[in-house]
Amino acid sequence: MSSSKIPIFILGATGYIGGSVLTRLLAHPNSQTFDITALVRSAEKAQRLQAFGINAVTGSTDEKEKLEALVLQAHVVLSMASADNFPAIQTVLSGMKKRHDALGDVPILIHTSGTGILHDDARGAYASETIYDDMKPEQIEALPATQLHHNLDLAIEEADKAGYLRSYIVFPGTIYGVASGPFVEAGIQHPFSVQIPGLTLAALDRGQPGMVGKGLAIWPHISLDDVVDLYILLFDAVLTNPENVGHGREGYFFVENGEFRWYDLSKAIGEALVEAGLAKSSEPTSFSDEELIKYAGSMEMGNGMGTNARCRANRARALGWKPTKRTEDLFDSIKPGVEALMKAMQVK
Ligand SMILES: NC(=O)c1ccc[n+]([C@@H]2O[C@H](COP(=O)([O-])OP(=O)(O)OC[C@H]3O[C@@H](n4cnc5c(N)ncnc54)[C@H](OP(=O)(O)O)[C@@H]3O)[C@@H](O)[C@H]2O)c1
């Protein structure tokens, strides 16, 4: 490694978000100055990533010593593997502290959380009027630590406060769009997001779309391209002008460019499936408790699709982020997204 290069460590490089961010880092005008390492679970994918100039190490975040040693070598850590793996983030933080203690460096952590932290218990019964503003950290501080993902955010914020790293946390809403690019083509990266494909597969299975309760609650959305734009903008800003970017408590970035009602989303999925001859009705009906467990893994996760998580990405916009895709683009993306998912699943 040349000492002039910036050591960057990536978690989640094969993922929907992480693979897209990595693609853009490789196309970055300064990419020659990056020394990128990624921890990848599949040995085969690690090997394929190496052909792209990535120092891909096979392993899991469960391998504490390996993870800590990799973090120790990095000035920038991009955490895009899990918003919920608390032991993994503890290891990342301890590696960053060791780096600070050994070298005096103040490494940078950009972590991916999600607007799930804002969720209420609406169960689809109503649209909330509460809208969170990321320029008002006190509003976020009022959230209980038990909110989804939030134990990790708080541990990261604490580490920033202790001064051994600078943290920036991004909170995307529902991300939409099918990922594309060299890593998808090489079979390295997951092309699909979580919520819309999940609702699509549930609708396919039950013959019509489902929703939690009446589907009246509201969530933010954002296109994958706009999410990646923010990552790169933030990455550039914290490397070149860190004094201009809030961190820790002031470094929470919501990522949204509009909102949707769960009913409308499910209805659009239903229409795409009916058009493809794969569902009997486009009209969403309420999921039963058994269905929530079947399709989401648990009642809690299932009910997440009936919560409100309304917010405004004011901090990212103040940094110069200009998302281009809007609510109409979300709905325009449903039909091609459903078609791509059906093709990938070989559903006819
Ligand atoms: N997609 C969204 O709409 C959205 C919105 C807000 C927040 N988020 C959050 O962002 C994070 C990433 O989302 P995503 O959609 O990109 O998910 P994804 O496609 O499933 O990607 C997850 C990535 O993390 C890797 N990974 C998971 N556990 C690991 C472990 N123990 N050790 C090493 N690598 C591990 C996966 O590797 P493998 O290839 O081996 O599976 C994959 O590269 C999640 O926490 C999610 O909750 C997502």
Side-chain angles (χ1 to χ4, degrees), residues 192 201 204 278 335-348:
F192 297 107
L201 294 178
L204 182 71
L278 294 169
K335 190 174 167 221
V338 166
E339 285 168 0
L341 184 65
M342 294 302 112
K343 194 172 167 205
M345 307 281 301
Q346 297 184 325
V347 176
K348 288 179 188 134

Side-chain angles (χ1 to χ4, degrees), residues 36-176:
I36 304 178
T37 298
L39 182 66
V40 177
R41 287 194 285 198
S42 150
E44 203 189 321
K45 288 188 179 185
Q47 203 177 8
R48 282 188 227 159
L49 267 174
Q50 277 160 6
F52 289 88
I54 309 298
N55 173 28
V57 176
T58 306
S60 153
T61 54
D62 300 338
E63 294 171 71
K64 204 171 164 219
E65 280 175 20
K66 188 183 276 185
L67 175 59
E68 195 179 74
L70 290 167
V71 169
L72 192 54
Q73 290 168 23
H75 176 58
V76 181
V77 176
L78 301 179
S79 161
M80 300 174 284
S82 174
D84 299 297
N85 189 334
F86 191 68
I89 211 70
Q90 278 181 311
T91 306
V92 167
L93 297 178
S94 73
M96 295 181 89
K97 180 159 191 327
K98 283 189 181 167
R99 179 178 175 89
H100 177 71
D101 292 346
L103 305 178
D105 182 31
V106 181
I108 291 160
L109 173 60
I110 303 181
H111 171 73
T112 312
S113 184
T115 53
I117 63 155
L118 306 176
H119 75 79
D120 59 14
D121 193 26
R123 297 182 196 213
Y126 58 88
S128 168
E129 284 178 13
T130 304
I131 299 179
Y132 289 86
D133 176 350
D134 54 6
M135 296 295 259
K136 295 182 182 159
E138 65 282 2
Q139 229 189 347
I140 300 165
E141 258 174 22
L143 291 168
T146 50
Q147 289 291 96
L148 192 67
H149 317 314
H150 204 33
N151 53 339
L152 278 74
D153 309 332
L154 292 172
I156 292 168
E157 196 184 315
E158 199 56 43
D160 179 283
K161 210 180 286 172
Y164 61 85
L165 56 78
R166 284 202 311 273
S167 72
Y168 308 87
I169 309 184
V170 294
F171 297 80
T174 293
I175 308 176
Y176 65 92

Side-chain angles (χ1 to χ4, degrees), residues 101 104 123 136 160 246 260 264 277 291 294 303 314 343:
D101 292 346
R123 297 182 196 213
K136 295 182 182 159
D160 179 283
F260 65 88
D264 299 326
E291 283 181 316
K294 179 177 178 188
N303 278 325
N314 290 327
K343 194 172 167 205

Side-chain angles (χ1 to χ4, degrees), residues 16 174-175 192-200 301 305:
Y16 174 68
T174 293
I175 308 176
F192 297 107
S193 190
V194 182
Q195 284 165 322
I196 297 172
L199 282 167
T200 303
M301 289 309 290
M305 298 182 290

